[in-house]
């Protein structure tokens, strides 16, 4: 066993641990925060978390075994099942990311009609399509014996070793799969998030104009306070760009090539745990555990509503809230 294999095995084990802990934490937040359950994006995040958890317990352990033994882990039947799950789950998670980007685009560009445009029924239909889409490709690949152990990735996934007799068909299948999953999701994310960024920048400019007018009126303001306001303007303009770059950049890195195991560990932070609602829920649950108090969904709802009302009153007293900036800051 080479030193590189040892390092890779330790790295994958670390990713498995982080992935399991972070995705389980997302599920706990979903279960104990009624506000998250009421939101349509919560369904897409739940589906994405489900895919990441299954990837963490199915494909990643075999990858570690393959790196340690430098050979085929398990039998052919197990590898077929894991390869089916790998194709299904990665395809499903890509489409879930596309659905999340469309949801955020509608929320930002059409804030007043969002609840009439995106309903729970629409989310269920979208998730149904992602499952059917993923099942079709993974089933075809499995029945055509186009899944197997890939030594390059050290995992059971799409592999053309058994497809030499049908090389042209496998190439067509691979192009169709990657075009209708990776490429389609990438285009959807770029278009929707760039439009979100455009709206966010517009609102930032409007807030900047109001801030500058206020600073001009306050002639007696201390220079340090004035500089602090200007610095906040600069951070506000950069925040939206960083968020969009994180969404798109993480997707490209984690799916090039076909799939990288770090995706299952990064998704919970990119789409859930770094958002304000999830951070607040995690903090609430941590305090409950440390105080050895029972987890109570109703108390969480009460505390969440109180904090939400306080935040809204504070924000509205300064300037009108921006839907685009609110979504990107979460």
């Amino acid at each position: 066993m080479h030193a590189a294999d040892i390092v890779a095995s330790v790295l994958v084990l670390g990713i498995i641990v982080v992935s399991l802990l972070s995705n389980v934490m997302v599920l706990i937040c979903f279960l104990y925060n009624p506000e998250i359950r009421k939101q349509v994006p919560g369904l897409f995040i739940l589906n994405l978390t489900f895919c990441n958890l299954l990837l963490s317990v199915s494909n990643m352990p075999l990858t570690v075994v393959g790196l340690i033994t430098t050979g085929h882990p398990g039998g052919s039947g197990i590898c077929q099942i894991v390869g089916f799950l790998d194709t299904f789950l990665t395809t499903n998670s890509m489409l879930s990311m596309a659905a999340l980007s469309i949801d955020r685009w509608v929320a930002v560009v059409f804030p007043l009609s969002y609840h009439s445009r995106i309903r729970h029924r629409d989310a269920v239909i979208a998730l149904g399509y992602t499952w059917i889409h993923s099942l079709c490709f993974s089933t075809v690949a499995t029945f055509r014996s186009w899944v197997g152990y890939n030594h390059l990735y050290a995992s059971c996934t799409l592999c053309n070793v058994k497809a030499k007799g049908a090389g042209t068909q496998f190439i067509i299948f691979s192009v169709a799969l990657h075009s209708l999953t990776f490429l389609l999701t990438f285009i959807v994310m770029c278009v929707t998030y760039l439009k979100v960024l455009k709206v966010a920048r517009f609102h930032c400019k409007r807030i900047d104009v109001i801030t500058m007018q206020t600073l001009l009126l306050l002639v007696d303001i201390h220079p340090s306070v004035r500089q602090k306001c200007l610095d906040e303007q600069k951070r506000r303009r950069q925040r939206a760009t960083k968020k969009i770059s994180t969404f798109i950049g993480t997707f490209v890195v984690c799916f090039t090539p076909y799939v990288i195991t770090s995706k299952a560990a990064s998704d919970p932070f990119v789409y859930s745990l770094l958002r304000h609602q999830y951070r607040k829920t995690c903090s609430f649950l941590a305090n409950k555990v440390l105080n050895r108090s029972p987890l109570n969904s109703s108390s969480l709802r009460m505390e969440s509503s109180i904090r939400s009302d306080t935040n809204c009153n504070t924000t509205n007293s300064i300037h009108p809230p921006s839907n685009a900036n609110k979504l990107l800051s979460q």
Side-chain angles (χ1 to χ4, degrees):
M1 187 176 181
H2 300 289
D5 294 331
I6 297 176
V7 174
S9 300
V10 174
L11 179 62
V12 174
L13 281 174
I15 292 174
I16 291 175
V17 173
V18 174
S19 175
L20 289 175
L21 292 177
S22 57
N23 283 286
V24 168
M25 182 58 65
V26 173
L27 287 180
I28 293 175
C29 291
F30 183 86
L31 291 174
Y32 283 97
N33 192 329
E35 296 300 322
I36 295 177
R37 292 198 302 270
K38 290 178 182 178
Q39 297 173 355
V40 173
L43 297 178
F44 298 128
I45 293 175
L46 182 65
N47 188 63
L48 186 62
T49 304
F50 167 77
C51 295
N52 290 333
L53 277 175
L54 282 184
L55 276 174
S56 301
V57 299
S58 62
N59 189 281
M60 293 187 195
L62 284 184
T63 300
V64 175
V65 175
L67 290 171
I68 295 175
T69 61
T70 63
H72 192 296
S76 176
I78 295 178
C79 200
Q80 287 279 319
I81 296 174
V82 173
F84 170 84
L85 288 175
D86 180 76
T87 305
F88 170 77
L89 295 173
T90 51
T91 304
N92 199 335
S93 60
M94 287 189 214
L95 297 176
S96 297
M97 292 179 185
L100 276 169
S101 66
I102 293 175
D103 175 84
R104 293 185 178 182
W105 168 67
V106 175
V108 171
V109 179
F110 308 102
L112 298 180
S113 59
Y114 169 76
H115 292 290
S116 62
R117 291 173 180 265
I118 303 292
R119 295 165 293 182
H120 280 81
R121 184 184 66 181
D122 302 322
V124 171
I125 293 174
L127 289 177
Y129 170 76
T130 64
W131 278 65
I132 294 173
H133 182 111
S134 305
L135 278 174
C136 289
F137 279 103
S138 55
T139 302
V140 170
T142 303
F143 277 97
R144 297 288 295 179
S145 298
W146 289 340
V147 291
Y149 184 73
N150 193 313
H151 290 276
L152 177 62
Y153 304 146
S155 63
C156 297
T157 182
L158 277 181
C159 185
N160 62 354
V161 173
K162 296 183 179 182
K164 289 183 178 179
T168 304
Q169 296 179 4
F170 177 77
I171 292 174
I172 294 174
F173 174 82
S174 299
V175 171
L177 173 62
H178 289 83
S179 298
L180 295 176
T181 52
F182 176 83
L183 184 60
L184 176 63
T185 302
F186 179 70
I187 293 174
V188 170
M189 291 180 68
C190 286
V191 172
T192 53
Y193 281 131
L194 287 177
K195 288 186 176 295
V196 169
L197 180 60
K198 182 179 179 181
V199 175
R201 284 180 173 176
F202 170 78
H203 286 291
C204 285
K205 290 180 180 179
R206 188 179 65 176
I207 295 173
D208 289 346
V209 171
I210 297 174
T211 304
M212 292 303 299
Q213 291 175 348
T214 305
L215 291 176
L216 291 175
L217 293 175
L218 299 175
V219 292
D220 295 332
I221 191 171
H222 194 274
S224 62
V225 178
R226 184 188 300 270
Q227 185 61 39
K228 186 177 180 180
C229 293
L230 295 176
D231 292 339
E232 178 61 28
Q233 283 183 330
K234 184 178 179 180
R235 285 194 296 269
R236 190 186 299 116
R237 288 192 295 268
Q238 293 175 345
R239 190 180 299 124
T241 304
K242 288 181 179 179
K243 285 283 186 181
I244 301 303
S245 301
T246 300
F247 289 133
I248 299 177
T250 304
F251 173 79
V252 173
V253 170
C254 289
F255 284 104
T256 308
Y258 184 62
V259 64
I260 296 178
T261 53
S262 59
K263 169 203 163 297
S266 62
D267 282 350
F269 296 97
V270 174
Y271 289 95
S272 304
L273 296 179
L274 294 181
R275 296 179 61 190
H276 175 69
Q277 271 190 323
Y278 286 86
R279 292 202 312 268
K280 185 172 65 177
T281 306
C282 290
S283 176
F284 174 83
L285 294 174
N287 292 331
K288 285 291 184 181
V289 172
L290 293 176
N291 295 332
R292 296 184 179 181
S293 300
L295 295 175
N296 192 326
S297 176
S298 61
S299 63
L300 177 62
R301 184 186 299 110
M302 183 180 298
E303 180 170 332
S304 176
S305 61
I306 292 174
R307 292 187 180 180
S308 177
D309 293 341
T310 304
N311 292 336
C312 288
N313 292 335
T314 305
T315 304
N316 291 334
S317 64
I318 300 174
H319 55 74
S322 166
N323 196 35
N325 293 329
K326 182 180 177 181
L327 281 173
L328 290 172
S329 63
Q330 288 181 341

